[in-house]
Amino acid sequence: MSTLVMKFGGTSVANLDRIKRAAKRVGLEVANGHNVIVIVSAMSGKTNELVGWVNETSPLFDAREYDAVVSSGENVTAGLMAMTLQEMDVPARSWQGWQVPVITTSSHANARIEDIPVENITAKFDEGMRVAVVAGFQGISSEGRITTLGRGGSDTTAVAFAAAFDAVRCDIYTDVDGVYTTDPRISSKARKLDRIAFEEMLELASLGAKVLQTRSVELAMRYKVKLRVLSSFEEPSDVAGTLVCDEEEIMESNVVSGVAYSRDEAKMTLLQVADRPGIAAAIFGPLSDAGVNVDMIVQNISEEGRTDMTFSCPTDQVLRASKAMEDAKTSGEINFADLVADTEVAKVSVVGIGMRSHAGVAAQMFKALRDENINIKVITTSEIKISVLIDRKYMELAVQALHDSFGLEKAG
Ligand code: ADP
Ligand code: ASP
Ligand code: MG
């Protein structure tokens, strides 16, 4: 029998009525003849509440205990979804990550899935169970501790299950009806894409488009999972949603295919560090050891053997980053005059495979921002994306201006 993976995000399981609605959709797929693996998120807002409690209890928390707390939201929805299905006479049961088991690395709060043995669930399917409801976002490390996969990680759970069970498709049900040229909540001109290339989706996700977690796209690309994003609020239809697929399967071709933003960025500057061989390693080594995800890096021109080093990281890691730098200073690994944190910045990026063969995208981006009088603080580029750090208060304006400038409301 074929296996289908259906993932329901937080808003799709936000209350008992929504869970019922989602369960009905699962029931339809069971009636279509699939065995279904349902991956559920926590009810919307729940994970944020749990993270809030952790931060209030212990600002530099033990990440193992963070995972023990924040993984719990998914346990509730998994049980409720299984019960709802049983009420509909669909044979179902719930599985927490450790029961499957979803084996992950020990990198707490940001673990990677290493293996999903299929035997336990397959045995139940063989006995007549039709739906395995699995708590997303969580797993177990080789030390036997509960882990979580980073925010938005249920998407990755879903794709990993689709790969492990060789599923016919992985359907990600969310609160928008597909992937758009930009976040439809920021720009009313955002256009739904019928298809998007894996590589573009990967960039958009990693640059902040949280509709899919980055690692879920990576896995789908690697294991050739047929990945679809669709709304759990609309009536079922065959043409619904966005298919994430290979570049070759796409006809339309805008040079820029999307605009992404990341609101919670911070810009940290170490003033007057010694400009000597090994200084970057001495700074970024301790940051990495402290679990800080450094994104952009700029080293200024040095004057009299001293330079300023700027990097960006998520706002919620500023405390960790500052502590790592102060500790490195105390131990004599680095020396700096001051550490300045600007926590009011945002990153805005344009993404498109077409950039590989088109010059002038950067110039057009900078011009669009100049026309809105938006100052650029840091710039980074890669083959298919350009990102800028700007004042957060201009973020929405920048997204809209870039969406207009690159004509994204119309298909290319
Ligand atoms: P879920 O709880 O279902 O996982 P998320 O909130 O994680 O849902 O992701 C869906 C949200 O992603 C949408 O509500 C939308 O605001 C946001 N989003 C950001 N960029 C995009 C985009 N390019 N296309 C669609 N949605 C986007
Ligand atoms: N509940 C987790 C979060 O909010 C995981 C997820 O929904 O994907 O990040
Ligand atoms: Mg999500």
Side-chain angles (χ1 to χ4, degrees), residues 207-240:
L207 295 167
K210 65 173 183 158
V211 61
L212 286 174
Q213 198 197 34
T214 311
R215 278 215 286 280
S216 72
V217 187
E218 254 168 39
L219 284 183
M221 202 165 153
R222 175 151 12 119
Y223 294 103
K224 303 212 171 305
V225 171
K226 202 165 173 200
L227 180 62
R228 198 164 68 144
V229 176
L230 64 173
S231 163
S232 64
F233 298 91
E234 288 187 359
E235 288 311 311
S237 127
D238 284 345
V239 292

PDB file of all heavy atoms in Angstrom, residues 207-240:
ATOM      1  N   LEU A 207      16.805  32.344   4.113  1.00  0.00           N
ATOM      2  CA  LEU A 207      16.856  33.795   4.289  1.00  0.00           C
ATOM      3  C   LEU A 207      15.644  34.315   5.050  1.00  0.00           C
ATOM      4  O   LEU A 207      15.441  35.519   5.150  1.00  0.00           O
ATOM      5  CB  LEU A 207      16.966  34.471   2.916  1.00  0.00           C
ATOM      6  CG  LEU A 207      18.282  34.140   2.192  1.00  0.00           C
ATOM      7  CD1 LEU A 207      18.229  34.554   0.733  1.00  0.00           C
ATOM      8  CD2 LEU A 207      19.456  34.794   2.899  1.00  0.00           C
ATOM      9  N   GLY A 208      14.810  33.406   5.538  1.00  0.00           N
ATOM     10  CA  GLY A 208      13.761  33.845   6.453  1.00  0.00           C
ATOM     11  C   GLY A 208      12.333  33.490   6.074  1.00  0.00           C
ATOM     12  O   GLY A 208      11.431  33.660   6.895  1.00  0.00           O
ATOM     13  N   ALA A 209      12.087  33.020   4.837  1.00  0.00           N
ATOM     14  CA  ALA A 209      10.709  32.691   4.445  1.00  0.00           C
ATOM     15  C   ALA A 209      10.287  31.436   5.201  1.00  0.00           C
ATOM     16  O   ALA A 209      10.593  30.322   4.800  1.00  0.00           O
ATOM     17  CB  ALA A 209      10.611  32.457   2.941  1.00  0.00           C
ATOM     18  N   LYS A 210       9.601  31.612   6.322  1.00  0.00           N
ATOM     19  CA  LYS A 210       9.452  30.473   7.237  1.00  0.00           C
ATOM     20  C   LYS A 210       8.384  29.477   6.812  1.00  0.00           C
ATOM     21  O   LYS A 210       8.069  28.548   7.557  1.00  0.00           O
ATOM     22  CB  LYS A 210       9.217  30.969   8.655  1.00  0.00           C
ATOM     23  CG  LYS A 210       7.918  31.709   8.842  1.00  0.00           C
ATOM     24  CD  LYS A 210       7.718  32.003  10.306  1.00  0.00           C
ATOM     25  CE  LYS A 210       6.376  32.675  10.480  1.00  0.00           C
ATOM     26  NZ  LYS A 210       5.851  32.545  11.806  1.00  0.00           N
ATOM     27  N   VAL A 211       7.848  29.643   5.610  1.00  0.00           N
ATOM     28  CA  VAL A 211       6.827  28.711   5.145  1.00  0.00           C
ATOM     29  C   VAL A 211       7.353  27.264   5.123  1.00  0.00           C
ATOM     30  O   VAL A 211       6.587  26.326   5.336  1.00  0.00           O
ATOM     31  CB  VAL A 211       6.247  29.171   3.783  1.00  0.00           C
ATOM     32  CG1 VAL A 211       7.300  29.237   2.704  1.00  0.00           C
ATOM     33  CG2 VAL A 211       5.090  28.314   3.347  1.00  0.00           C
ATOM     34  N   LEU A 212       8.661  27.086   4.901  1.00  0.00           N
ATOM     35  CA  LEU A 212       9.290  25.764   5.044  1.00  0.00           C
ATOM     36  C   LEU A 212      10.606  25.928   5.798  1.00  0.00           C
ATOM     37  O   LEU A 212      11.345  26.884   5.545  1.00  0.00           O
ATOM     38  CB  LEU A 212       9.594  25.152   3.669  1.00  0.00           C
ATOM     39  CG  LEU A 212       8.420  24.612   2.855  1.00  0.00           C
ATOM     40  CD1 LEU A 212       8.903  24.195   1.461  1.00  0.00           C
ATOM     41  CD2 LEU A 212       7.759  23.431   3.553  1.00  0.00           C
ATOM     42  N   GLN A 213      10.904  24.980   6.682  1.00  0.00           N
ATOM     43  CA  GLN A 213      12.208  25.048   7.344  1.00  0.00           C
ATOM     44  C   GLN A 213      13.298  24.664   6.338  1.00  0.00           C
ATOM     45  O   GLN A 213      13.112  23.742   5.530  1.00  0.00           O
ATOM     46  CB  GLN A 213      12.266  24.097   8.555  1.00  0.00           C
ATOM     47  CG  GLN A 213      13.419  24.464   9.492  1.00  0.00           C
ATOM     48  CD  GLN A 213      13.810  23.357  10.470  1.00  0.00           C
ATOM     49  OE1 GLN A 213      13.728  22.178  10.146  1.00  0.00           O
ATOM     50  NE2 GLN A 213      14.251  23.734  11.661  1.00  0.00           N
ATOM     51  N   THR A 214      14.408  25.357   6.385  1.00  0.00           N
ATOM     52  CA  THR A 214      15.478  25.161   5.401  1.00  0.00           C
ATOM     53  C   THR A 214      15.858  23.686   5.250  1.00  0.00           C
ATOM     54  O   THR A 214      15.975  23.173   4.141  1.00  0.00           O
ATOM     55  CB  THR A 214      16.731  25.956   5.806  1.00  0.00           C
ATOM     56  OG1 THR A 214      16.319  27.279   6.104  1.00  0.00           O
ATOM     57  CG2 THR A 214      17.764  25.971   4.712  1.00  0.00           C
ATOM     58  N   ARG A 215      16.042  23.016   6.377  1.00  0.00           N
ATOM     59  CA  ARG A 215      16.527  21.627   6.289  1.00  0.00           C
ATOM     60  C   ARG A 215      15.517  20.704   5.622  1.00  0.00           C
ATOM     61  O   ARG A 215      15.889  19.695   5.025  1.00  0.00           O
ATOM     62  CB  ARG A 215      16.906  21.120   7.681  1.00  0.00           C
ATOM     63  CG  ARG A 215      18.301  21.597   8.055  1.00  0.00           C
ATOM     64  CD  ARG A 215      19.031  20.569   8.859  1.00  0.00           C
ATOM     65  NE  ARG A 215      18.512  20.512  10.209  1.00  0.00           N
ATOM     66  CZ  ARG A 215      18.826  21.371  11.172  1.00  0.00           C
ATOM     67  NH1 ARG A 215      19.671  22.350  10.923  1.00  0.00           N
ATOM     68  NH2 ARG A 215      18.336  21.250  12.365  1.00  0.00           N
ATOM     69  N   SER A 216      14.230  21.071   5.720  1.00  0.00           N
ATOM     70  CA  SER A 216      13.230  20.229   5.056  1.00  0.00           C
ATOM     71  C   SER A 216      13.425  20.289   3.542  1.00  0.00           C
ATOM     72  O   SER A 216      13.260  19.291   2.839  1.00  0.00           O
ATOM     73  CB  SER A 216      11.808  20.657   5.443  1.00  0.00           C
ATOM     74  OG  SER A 216      11.452  21.886   4.847  1.00  0.00           O
ATOM     75  N   VAL A 217      13.792  21.451   3.048  1.00  0.00           N
ATOM     76  CA  VAL A 217      13.986  21.606   1.599  1.00  0.00           C
ATOM     77  C   VAL A 217      15.262  20.869   1.177  1.00  0.00           C
ATOM     78  O   VAL A 217      15.296  20.187   0.144  1.00  0.00           O
ATOM     79  CB  VAL A 217      14.071  23.100   1.207  1.00  0.00           C
ATOM     80  CG1 VAL A 217      14.105  23.246  -0.304  1.00  0.00           C
ATOM     81  CG2 VAL A 217      12.917  23.888   1.805  1.00  0.00           C
ATOM     82  N   GLU A 218      16.298  20.998   2.012  1.00  0.00           N
ATOM     83  CA  GLU A 218      17.554  20.282   1.748  1.00  0.00           C
ATOM     84  C   GLU A 218      17.296  18.786   1.610  1.00  0.00           C
ATOM     85  O   GLU A 218      17.756  18.137   0.662  1.00  0.00           O
ATOM     86  CB  GLU A 218      18.479  20.451   2.965  1.00  0.00           C
ATOM     87  CG  GLU A 218      19.633  21.389   2.800  1.00  0.00           C
ATOM     88  CD  GLU A 218      20.258  21.669   4.161  1.00  0.00           C
ATOM     89  OE1 GLU A 218      20.380  20.759   5.011  1.00  0.00           O
ATOM     90  OE2 GLU A 218      20.605  22.829   4.376  1.00  0.00           O
ATOM     91  N   LEU A 219      16.552  18.240   2.567  1.00  0.00           N
ATOM     92  CA  LEU A 219      16.272  16.797   2.566  1.00  0.00           C
ATOM     93  C   LEU A 219      15.428  16.404   1.358  1.00  0.00           C
ATOM     94  O   LEU A 219      15.686  15.389   0.719  1.00  0.00           O
ATOM     95  CB  LEU A 219      15.517  16.395   3.839  1.00  0.00           C
ATOM     96  CG  LEU A 219      16.310  16.297   5.128  1.00  0.00           C
ATOM     97  CD1 LEU A 219      15.410  15.810   6.250  1.00  0.00           C
ATOM     98  CD2 LEU A 219      17.483  15.336   4.966  1.00  0.00           C
ATOM     99  N   ALA A 220      14.424  17.229   1.040  1.00  0.00           N
ATOM    100  CA  ALA A 220      13.551  16.913  -0.093  1.00  0.00           C
ATOM    101  C   ALA A 220      14.366  16.868  -1.381  1.00  0.00           C
ATOM    102  O   ALA A 220      14.164  16.022  -2.246  1.00  0.00           O
ATOM    103  CB  ALA A 220      12.437  17.939  -0.194  1.00  0.00           C
ATOM    104  N   MET A 221      15.324  17.797  -1.471  1.00  0.00           N
ATOM    105  CA  MET A 221      16.179  17.880  -2.649  1.00  0.00           C
ATOM    106  C   MET A 221      17.059  16.634  -2.744  1.00  0.00           C
ATOM    107  O   MET A 221      17.180  16.009  -3.786  1.00  0.00           O
ATOM    108  CB  MET A 221      17.041  19.128  -2.482  1.00  0.00           C
ATOM    109  CG  MET A 221      17.605  19.696  -3.717  1.00  0.00           C
ATOM    110  SD  MET A 221      18.169  21.367  -3.241  1.00  0.00           S
ATOM    111  CE  MET A 221      19.444  21.557  -4.426  1.00  0.00           C
ATOM    112  N   ARG A 222      17.647  16.283  -1.602  1.00  0.00           N
ATOM    113  CA  ARG A 222      18.577  15.157  -1.593  1.00  0.00           C
ATOM    114  C   ARG A 222      17.870  13.832  -1.864  1.00  0.00           C
ATOM    115  O   ARG A 222      18.367  12.996  -2.593  1.00  0.00           O
ATOM    116  CB  ARG A 222      19.313  15.112  -0.246  1.00  0.00           C
ATOM    117  CG  ARG A 222      20.202  13.918  -0.120  1.00  0.00           C
ATOM    118  CD  ARG A 222      21.424  14.075   0.770  1.00  0.00           C
ATOM    119  NE  ARG A 222      21.492  15.243   1.610  1.00  0.00           N
ATOM    120  CZ  ARG A 222      21.557  15.195   2.948  1.00  0.00           C
ATOM    121  NH1 ARG A 222      21.504  14.030   3.575  1.00  0.00           N
ATOM    122  NH2 ARG A 222      21.685  16.291   3.636  1.00  0.00           N
ATOM    123  N   TYR A 223      16.692  13.650  -1.259  1.00  0.00           N
ATOM    124  CA  TYR A 223      16.022  12.346  -1.372  1.00  0.00           C
ATOM    125  C   TYR A 223      14.899  12.344  -2.405  1.00  0.00           C
ATOM    126  O   TYR A 223      14.105  11.420  -2.454  1.00  0.00           O
ATOM    127  CB  TYR A 223      15.511  11.902   0.005  1.00  0.00           C
ATOM    128  CG  TYR A 223      16.655  11.625   0.953  1.00  0.00           C
ATOM    129  CD1 TYR A 223      17.008  12.535   1.935  1.00  0.00           C
ATOM    130  CD2 TYR A 223      17.420  10.469   0.822  1.00  0.00           C
ATOM    131  CE1 TYR A 223      18.078  12.304   2.792  1.00  0.00           C
ATOM    132  CE2 TYR A 223      18.486  10.216   1.670  1.00  0.00           C
ATOM    133  CZ  TYR A 223      18.816  11.139   2.648  1.00  0.00           C
ATOM    134  OH  TYR A 223      19.880  10.900   3.478  1.00  0.00           O
ATOM    135  N   LYS A 224      14.836  13.413  -3.197  1.00  0.00           N
ATOM    136  CA  LYS A 224      13.834  13.511  -4.277  1.00  0.00           C
ATOM    137  C   LYS A 224      12.416  13.282  -3.762  1.00  0.00           C
ATOM    138  O   LYS A 224      11.638  12.492  -4.320  1.00  0.00           O
ATOM    139  CB  LYS A 224      14.154  12.524  -5.408  1.00  0.00           C
ATOM    140  CG  LYS A 224      15.553  12.716  -5.989  1.00  0.00           C
ATOM    141  CD  LYS A 224      15.598  12.368  -7.453  1.00  0.00           C
ATOM    142  CE  LYS A 224      16.929  12.751  -8.103  1.00  0.00           C
ATOM    143  NZ  LYS A 224      17.293  14.168  -7.938  1.00  0.00           N
ATOM    144  N   VAL A 225      12.096  13.961  -2.685  1.00  0.00           N
ATOM    145  CA  VAL A 225      10.747  13.866  -2.128  1.00  0.00           C
ATOM    146  C   VAL A 225       9.852  14.841  -2.877  1.00  0.00           C
ATOM    147  O   VAL A 225      10.225  15.987  -3.119  1.00  0.00           O
ATOM    148  CB  VAL A 225      10.755  14.227  -0.620  1.00  0.00           C
ATOM    149  CG1 VAL A 225       9.338  14.349  -0.077  1.00  0.00           C
ATOM    150  CG2 VAL A 225      11.552  13.178   0.157  1.00  0.00           C
ATOM    151  N   LYS A 226       8.677  14.364  -3.264  1.00  0.00           N
ATOM    152  CA  LYS A 226       7.709  15.229  -3.936  1.00  0.00           C
ATOM    153  C   LYS A 226       7.047  16.093  -2.855  1.00  0.00           C
ATOM    154  O   LYS A 226       6.257  15.591  -2.055  1.00  0.00           O
ATOM    155  CB  LYS A 226       6.681  14.347  -4.653  1.00  0.00           C
ATOM    156  CG  LYS A 226       5.992  15.059  -5.753  1.00  0.00           C
ATOM    157  CD  LYS A 226       5.282  14.083  -6.664  1.00  0.00           C
ATOM    158  CE  LYS A 226       4.463  14.872  -7.657  1.00  0.00           C
ATOM    159  NZ  LYS A 226       3.415  14.098  -8.264  1.00  0.00           N
ATOM    160  N   LEU A 227       7.418  17.356  -2.821  1.00  0.00           N
ATOM    161  CA  LEU A 227       7.036  18.228  -1.701  1.00  0.00           C
ATOM    162  C   LEU A 227       6.028  19.270  -2.162  1.00  0.00           C
ATOM    163  O   LEU A 227       6.243  19.976  -3.147  1.00  0.00           O
ATOM    164  CB  LEU A 227       8.315  18.913  -1.186  1.00  0.00           C
ATOM    165  CG  LEU A 227       8.216  19.877  -0.020  1.00  0.00           C
ATOM    166  CD1 LEU A 227       7.700  19.172   1.220  1.00  0.00           C
ATOM    167  CD2 LEU A 227       9.606  20.472   0.272  1.00  0.00           C
ATOM    168  N   ARG A 228       4.902  19.349  -1.438  1.00  0.00           N
ATOM    169  CA  ARG A 228       3.856  20.284  -1.828  1.00  0.00           C
ATOM    170  C   ARG A 228       3.455  21.106  -0.613  1.00  0.00           C
ATOM    171  O   ARG A 228       3.362  20.578   0.494  1.00  0.00           O
ATOM    172  CB  ARG A 228       2.656  19.467  -2.340  1.00  0.00           C
ATOM    173  CG  ARG A 228       1.674  20.242  -3.163  1.00  0.00           C
ATOM    174  CD  ARG A 228       0.766  19.298  -3.920  1.00  0.00           C
ATOM    175  NE  ARG A 228      -0.106  18.588  -2.981  1.00  0.00           N
ATOM    176  CZ  ARG A 228      -1.385  18.267  -3.259  1.00  0.00           C
ATOM    177  NH1 ARG A 228      -1.914  18.574  -4.425  1.00  0.00           N
ATOM    178  NH2 ARG A 228      -2.115  17.609  -2.379  1.00  0.00           N
ATOM    179  N   VAL A 229       3.214  22.403  -0.821  1.00  0.00           N
ATOM    180  CA  VAL A 229       2.751  23.288   0.262  1.00  0.00           C
ATOM    181  C   VAL A 229       1.330  23.690  -0.074  1.00  0.00           C
ATOM    182  O   VAL A 229       1.065  24.164  -1.187  1.00  0.00           O
ATOM    183  CB  VAL A 229       3.633  24.546   0.355  1.00  0.00           C
ATOM    184  CG1 VAL A 229       3.095  25.497   1.419  1.00  0.00           C
ATOM    185  CG2 VAL A 229       5.083  24.176   0.656  1.00  0.00           C
ATOM    186  N   LEU A 230       0.416  23.510   0.859  1.00  0.00           N
ATOM    187  CA  LEU A 230      -0.979  23.865   0.575  1.00  0.00           C
ATOM    188  C   LEU A 230      -1.720  24.262   1.841  1.00  0.00           C
ATOM    189  O   LEU A 230      -1.217  24.061   2.947  1.00  0.00           O
ATOM    190  CB  LEU A 230      -1.685  22.754  -0.190  1.00  0.00           C
ATOM    191  CG  LEU A 230      -1.905  21.384   0.404  1.00  0.00           C
ATOM    192  CD1 LEU A 230      -2.789  20.563  -0.532  1.00  0.00           C
ATOM    193  CD2 LEU A 230      -0.621  20.613   0.602  1.00  0.00           C
ATOM    194  N   SER A 231      -2.912  24.830   1.651  1.00  0.00           N
ATOM    195  CA  SER A 231      -3.659  25.359   2.785  1.00  0.00           C
ATOM    196  C   SER A 231      -4.570  24.304   3.377  1.00  0.00           C
ATOM    197  O   SER A 231      -5.238  23.562   2.652  1.00  0.00           O
ATOM    198  CB  SER A 231      -4.495  26.547   2.318  1.00  0.00           C
ATOM    199  OG  SER A 231      -5.493  26.816   3.272  1.00  0.00           O
ATOM    200  N   SER A 232      -4.621  24.264   4.709  1.00  0.00           N
ATOM    201  CA  SER A 232      -5.553  23.332   5.355  1.00  0.00           C
ATOM    202  C   SER A 232      -6.930  23.968   5.488  1.00  0.00           C
ATOM    203  O   SER A 232      -7.851  23.353   5.984  1.00  0.00           O
ATOM    204  CB  SER A 232      -5.019  22.932   6.722  1.00  0.00           C
ATOM    205  OG  SER A 232      -4.968  24.052   7.567  1.00  0.00           O
ATOM    206  N   PHE A 233      -7.043  25.230   5.055  1.00  0.00           N
ATOM    207  CA  PHE A 233      -8.315  25.939   5.217  1.00  0.00           C
ATOM    208  C   PHE A 233      -9.177  25.874   3.962  1.00  0.00           C
ATOM    209  O   PHE A 233     -10.356  26.163   3.999  1.00  0.00           O
ATOM    210  CB  PHE A 233      -8.060  27.399   5.600  1.00  0.00           C
ATOM    211  CG  PHE A 233      -7.346  27.512   6.912  1.00  0.00           C
ATOM    212  CD1 PHE A 233      -5.963  27.559   6.975  1.00  0.00           C
ATOM    213  CD2 PHE A 233      -8.062  27.524   8.099  1.00  0.00           C
ATOM    214  CE1 PHE A 233      -5.307  27.633   8.193  1.00  0.00           C
ATOM    215  CE2 PHE A 233      -7.411  27.594   9.326  1.00  0.00           C
ATOM    216  CZ  PHE A 233      -6.029  27.652   9.374  1.00  0.00           C
ATOM    217  N   GLU A 234      -8.551  25.552   2.834  1.00  0.00           N
ATOM    218  CA  GLU A 234      -9.316  25.508   1.590  1.00  0.00           C
ATOM    219  C   GLU A 234      -9.832  24.107   1.310  1.00  0.00           C
ATOM    220  O   GLU A 234      -9.284  23.126   1.806  1.00  0.00           O
ATOM    221  CB  GLU A 234      -8.439  25.975   0.431  1.00  0.00           C
ATOM    222  CG  GLU A 234      -8.215  27.453   0.521  1.00  0.00           C
ATOM    223  CD  GLU A 234      -7.505  27.994  -0.693  1.00  0.00           C
ATOM    224  OE1 GLU A 234      -7.172  27.203  -1.590  1.00  0.00           O
ATOM    225  OE2 GLU A 234      -7.289  29.203  -0.719  1.00  0.00           O
ATOM    226  N   GLU A 235     -10.849  24.033   0.468  1.00  0.00           N
ATOM    227  CA  GLU A 235     -11.388  22.727   0.116  1.00  0.00           C
ATOM    228  C   GLU A 235     -10.340  21.953  -0.698  1.00  0.00           C
ATOM    229  O   GLU A 235      -9.599  22.545  -1.489  1.00  0.00           O
ATOM    230  CB  GLU A 235     -12.671  22.885  -0.706  1.00  0.00           C
ATOM    231  CG  GLU A 235     -13.853  23.384   0.118  1.00  0.00           C
ATOM    232  CD  GLU A 235     -14.039  22.586   1.429  1.00  0.00           C
ATOM    233  OE1 GLU A 235     -14.045  21.340   1.382  1.00  0.00           O
ATOM    234  OE2 GLU A 235     -14.150  23.216   2.501  1.00  0.00           O
ATOM    235  N   PRO A 236     -10.263  20.639  -0.501  1.00  0.00           N
ATOM    236  CA  PRO A 236      -9.277  19.841  -1.230  1.00  0.00           C
ATOM    237  C   PRO A 236      -9.422  19.986  -2.747  1.00  0.00           C
ATOM    238  O   PRO A 236     -10.541  20.056  -3.259  1.00  0.00           O
ATOM    239  CB  PRO A 236      -9.605  18.402  -0.819  1.00  0.00           C
ATOM    240  CG  PRO A 236     -10.343  18.515   0.464  1.00  0.00           C
ATOM    241  CD  PRO A 236     -11.065  19.822   0.430  1.00  0.00           C
ATOM    242  N   SER A 237      -8.312  20.091  -3.438  1.00  0.00           N
ATOM    243  CA  SER A 237      -8.332  20.191  -4.904  1.00  0.00           C
ATOM    244  C   SER A 237      -6.994  19.713  -5.443  1.00  0.00           C
ATOM    245  O   SER A 237      -5.966  19.857  -4.785  1.00  0.00           O
ATOM    246  CB  SER A 237      -8.595  21.643  -5.310  1.00  0.00           C
ATOM    247  OG  SER A 237      -7.623  22.111  -6.199  1.00  0.00           O
ATOM    248  N   ASP A 238      -7.009  19.138  -6.646  1.00  0.00           N
ATOM    249  CA  ASP A 238      -5.781  18.553  -7.191  1.00  0.00           C
ATOM    250  C   ASP A 238      -4.741  19.595  -7.580  1.00  0.00           C
ATOM    251  O   ASP A 238      -3.552  19.323  -7.600  1.00  0.00           O
ATOM    252  CB  ASP A 238      -6.104  17.702  -8.422  1.00  0.00           C
ATOM    253  CG  ASP A 238      -6.714  16.381  -8.002  1.00  0.00           C
ATOM    254  OD1 ASP A 238      -6.601  16.058  -6.805  1.00  0.00           O
ATOM    255  OD2 ASP A 238      -7.302  15.704  -8.860  1.00  0.00           O
ATOM    256  N   VAL A 239      -5.198  20.782  -7.955  1.00  0.00           N
ATOM    257  CA  VAL A 239      -4.249  21.785  -8.450  1.00  0.00           C
ATOM    258  C   VAL A 239      -3.779  22.727  -7.342  1.00  0.00           C
ATOM    259  O   VAL A 239      -3.038  23.662  -7.597  1.00  0.00           O
ATOM    260  CB  VAL A 239      -4.868  22.631  -9.591  1.00  0.00           C
ATOM    261  CG1 VAL A 239      -5.072  21.776 -10.817  1.00  0.00           C
ATOM    262  CG2 VAL A 239      -6.172  23.275  -9.142  1.00  0.00           C
ATOM    263  N   ALA A 240      -4.230  22.467  -6.128  1.00  0.00           N
ATOM    264  CA  ALA A 240      -3.929  23.403  -5.039  1.00  0.00           C
ATOM    265  C   ALA A 240      -2.452  23.458  -4.713  1.00  0.00           C
ATOM    266  O   ALA A 240      -1.713  22.515  -4.965  1.00  0.00           O
ATOM    267  CB  ALA A 240      -4.709  22.989  -3.796  1.00  0.00           C
TER     268      ALA A 240
END
